[in-house]
Amino acid sequence: MSESSKQATWGGRFSKGPAELMLRFSESVSFDQRLALFDIQCSEAHSAMLAEVGLLTVAEKDAIHRGLTEIRSEVEAGSFTWDERFEDVHMNIEQTLTERVPEAAKLHTARSRNDQVATDMRLFFKAACGELETSLKATLNALIDQAEKNQTVYIPGYTHLQRAQPVSVAHHLLAYIEMLGRDLDRVAAVKDQANWCPLGSGAIAGTTLPINREISAKLLGFVDADGNPRVTRNSMDAVSDRDVHMDFVYACSLIGIHLSRLAEDFILWCSSEFGFVDLPQTFCTGSSLMPQKKNPDAMELVRGKSGRIVGDLQSLLTMVKGLPLTYNRDLQEDKPPVFDALDQTLICLQVAEGVVSGLTMMTDKCASAVADPALLATDVVDYLVEKGVPFRNAHHVIGALVALAEEQGVALNALSLADVQSVDCHFEADWVDCFNVEVALAAREQTGMPGPKQVASQINYWKKRCQ
Ligand code: ARG
């Protein structure tokens, strides 16, 4: 037998080892070594369960645990030697362990790499969701701080990228806070989905050996709120299911998309055309040619990377679609998109947090943009509605006033009382009071509206939630 076939754990039925090209093609240890600590945890629980049911002696289990502890320290120290001839993280650890601890030849009893990798990934997802939650909260807190600071800075809100109605910067930022808040819920739901233990499903059809799946599940923390083990109900599904992968990357994609929209707003806002915000220099770059430039590269990269994360989701969806049950080696390709989605989402969240904490609202520019009286045209409609004019007619009347102001070359609120009364007799001298932004916002105090009290109470809600 060739060197490589002797080393492969599955070499028994082969007389030839894999070609060097095949080794390079099929290895996954270069990326799945990231699962090493979860794999060790999984092996500790599995061997403890095997000892519990009598498939290992306590001495054998202890020897295996000592070996695993040693490998864990080496992995943590970065001194463990990974060898692509052993294909993946599972075989690398098992082979090295068995070389050092002969008892480890029993470790793979009643286990397949198929249920092993499914379990490792679920442990990974639970931890990864925890990391996302921490980063989401940090970004949320940066947004909450800015919202709090900018409750009385008003800007035009936009629809169709046309100035629509005045809002406070706080209300605008609270929209993003809502999005990231939903992301928190989504990540929690993914964490719950991940919380089922596939270990014991074997390669496809379980095992004839008297294992106890509940023991392993409990040892690995796959338990419900009452501490009862949560084990998967169908061995074929358990080894081929990649739903959590897709749920997870979908959650990352939505975080990416939310951050991308935020980034786009900031990119617009920091242009000379808007000038609403000054982004922190530490997250901007200059031009190698044009000395005056200060470019919002961080925000552009956040926008760009969201496309990459959506691409990761697309890779997974396409990979799983049409796969026959159960495990197929295609599924090994599930890890790079998952790891990439997590890494990119985390760094985008951190960068967004940095940009948001360091930004300054340019209050003069905001004030001059929001001073456009046309932004309150709708409030003038409401003024007439309160006087009993049907909404459709009132809308028409104000439309006519906008046209008249345009014709006269004056601002909407500069039309004379006589002029506006000539269009509709319900107007009185107080009609110009409609053009005060503070008054307009103070009139919007129902839940979800941009009134200052409402905004302050939303800020308080989020402060409590994101502690
Ligand atoms: N490295 C493999 C993966 O990630 C582990 C499972 C291998 N199973 C197999 N039957 N070859 O998918």
Side-chain angles (χ1 to χ4, degrees):
M1 274 206 287
S2 76
E3 228 4 63
S4 51
S5 69
K6 265 193 278 167
Q7 282 151 343
T9 46
W10 38 256
R13 56 101 63 227
F14 286 79
S15 56
K16 281 189 180 135
E20 187 275 333
L21 178 61
M22 176 57 185
L23 284 175
R24 249 192 313 127
F25 184 59
S26 63
E27 70 83 25
S28 57
V29 68
S30 55
F31 52 87
D32 66 14
Q33 58 179 267
R34 184 165 174 166
L35 296 174
L37 298 181
F38 300 117
D39 198 69
I40 291 168
Q41 194 189 347
C42 183
S43 289
E44 282 170 346
H46 182 67
S47 50
M49 179 278 289
L50 290 177
E52 198 77 28
V53 300
L55 285 165
L56 284 182
T57 65
V58 171
E60 286 166 337
K61 185 257 298 177
D62 288 344
I64 289 171
H65 279 207
R66 272 195 301 277
L68 285 169
T69 303
E70 191 178 293
I71 292 178
R72 176 185 281 118
S73 322
E74 290 167 29
V75 169
E76 281 169 349
S79 60
F80 186 80
T81 316
W82 300 103
D83 187 339
E84 79 171 24
R85 282 174 309 166
F86 300 146
E87 280 186 32
D88 56 23
V89 61
H90 324 290
M91 298 219 288
N92 266 268
I93 292 176
E94 191 191 319
Q95 293 264 327
T96 303
L97 183 67
T98 313
E99 273 163 28
R100 298 176 187 178
V101 180
E103 292 89 334
K106 289 191 176 179
L107 172 61
H108 215 51
T109 305
R111 184 175 79 171
S112 155
R113 277 183 296 158
N114 296 352
D115 59 348
Q116 191 178 354
V117 72
T119 308
D120 289 4
M121 284 305 282
R122 284 172 180 273
L123 291 170
F124 166 86
F125 284 125
K126 287 170 73 174
C129 286
E131 285 182 66
L132 281 178
E133 282 168 346
T134 305
S135 287
L136 273 167
K137 283 192 178 163
T139 310
L140 274 162
N141 277 314
L143 284 163
I144 294 166
D145 281 352
Q146 283 296 355
E148 195 164 32
K149 278 191 214 146
N150 290 288
Q151 293 175 76
T152 55
V153 178
Y154 307 115
I155 49 170
Y158 292 77
T159 63
H160 311 269
L161 204 55
Q162 305 290 318
R163 287 178 181 175
Q165 293 184 304
V167 290
S168 60
V169 168
H171 193 61
H172 193 119
L173 294 180
L174 276 164
Y176 286 106
I177 292 170
E178 289 288 332
M179 295 179 222
L180 296 186
R182 286 195 295 276
D183 290 329
L184 265 183
D185 294 342
R186 217 175 331 268
V187 167
V190 176
K191 204 190 212 173
D192 186 59
Q193 282 291 326
N195 193 25
W196 289 92
C197 188
L199 203 59
S201 301
I204 166 170
T207 176
T208 59
L209 297 166
I211 61 167
N212 185 323
R213 295 190 60 205
E214 284 70 23
I215 292 180
S216 334
K218 271 190 156 181
L219 288 172
L220 289 170
F222 291 107
V223 291
D224 65 17
D226 302 323
N228 299 315
R230 278 174 122 190
V231 296
T232 53
R233 286 184 297 264
N234 180 290
S235 63
M236 294 181 74
D237 178 47
V239 294
S240 60
D241 166 34
R242 294 296 181 270
D243 288 3
V244 184
H245 295 54
M246 291 177 272
D247 285 340
F248 179 80
V249 179
Y250 175 67
C252 290
S253 298
L254 278 198
I255 296 171
I257 286 168
H258 295 151
L259 294 179
S260 177
R261 297 185 75 177
L262 175 72
E264 175 59 14
D265 271 345
F266 287 164
I267 290 165
L268 286 171
W269 286 6
C270 76
S271 68
S272 313
E273 283 69 16
F274 280 76
F276 293 174
V277 74
D278 186 36
L279 297 183
Q281 288 196 7
T282 43
F283 285 96
C284 292
T285 62
S287 157
S288 56
L289 180 73
M290 300 166 282
Q292 84 284 12
K293 291 299 289 292
K294 178 184 162 202
N295 296 325
D297 291 34
M299 294 290 85
E300 292 169 281
L301 279 165
V302 164
R303 194 176 55 187
K305 281 174 187 285
S306 67
R308 172 170 164 183
I309 302 167
V310 173
D312 291 328
L313 176 61
Q314 191 64 39
S315 300
L316 288 171
L317 292 166
T318 314
M319 187 181 70
V320 174
K321 173 197 165 305
L323 280 188
L325 290 186
T326 53
Y327 179 84
N328 299 272
R329 191 66 180 270
D330 315 42
L331 293 174
Q332 179 168 288
E333 291 293 314
D334 63 359
K335 288 162 215 69
V338 165
F339 296 156
D340 186 63
L342 173 64
D343 296 342
Q344 295 307 319
T345 306
L346 285 176
I347 200 163
C348 285
L349 280 167
Q350 284 157 17
V351 167
E353 182 202 346
V355 170
V356 171
S357 338
L359 65 76
T360 312
M361 291 312 296
M362 305 304 279
T363 47
D364 291 352
K365 284 275 198 168
C366 294
S368 68
V370 84
D372 179 357
L375 290 169
L376 290 164
T378 313
D379 293 48
V380 188
V381 176
D382 292 347
Y383 170 89
L384 286 186
V385 166
E386 294 225 61
K387 293 192 181 299
V389 180
F391 175 82
R392 266 300 147 232
N393 303 3
H395 186 284
H396 213 80
V397 167
I398 311 307
L401 293 187
V402 170
L404 185 62
E406 237 172 60
E407 205 178 290
Q408 294 185 6
V410 298
L412 181 61
N413 60 345
L415 287 169
S416 70
L417 183 59
D419 277 347
V420 299
Q421 282 173 338
S422 71
V423 179
D424 191 289
C425 62
H426 294 88
F427 280 112
E428 290 172 53
D430 67 348
W431 84 286
V432 282
D433 297 346
C434 293
F435 295 100
N436 182 314
V437 172
E438 265 98 8
V439 173
L441 287 173
R444 291 171 161 83
E445 286 293 6
Q446 297 197 53
T447 307
M449 296 185 186
K453 290 194 192 114
Q454 185 50 222
V455 165
S457 92
Q458 299 296 346
I459 290 173
N460 274 337
Y461 166 81
W462 285 107
K463 271 185 164 173
K464 280 193 207 104
R465 255 202 80 178
C466 296
Q467 262 160 16

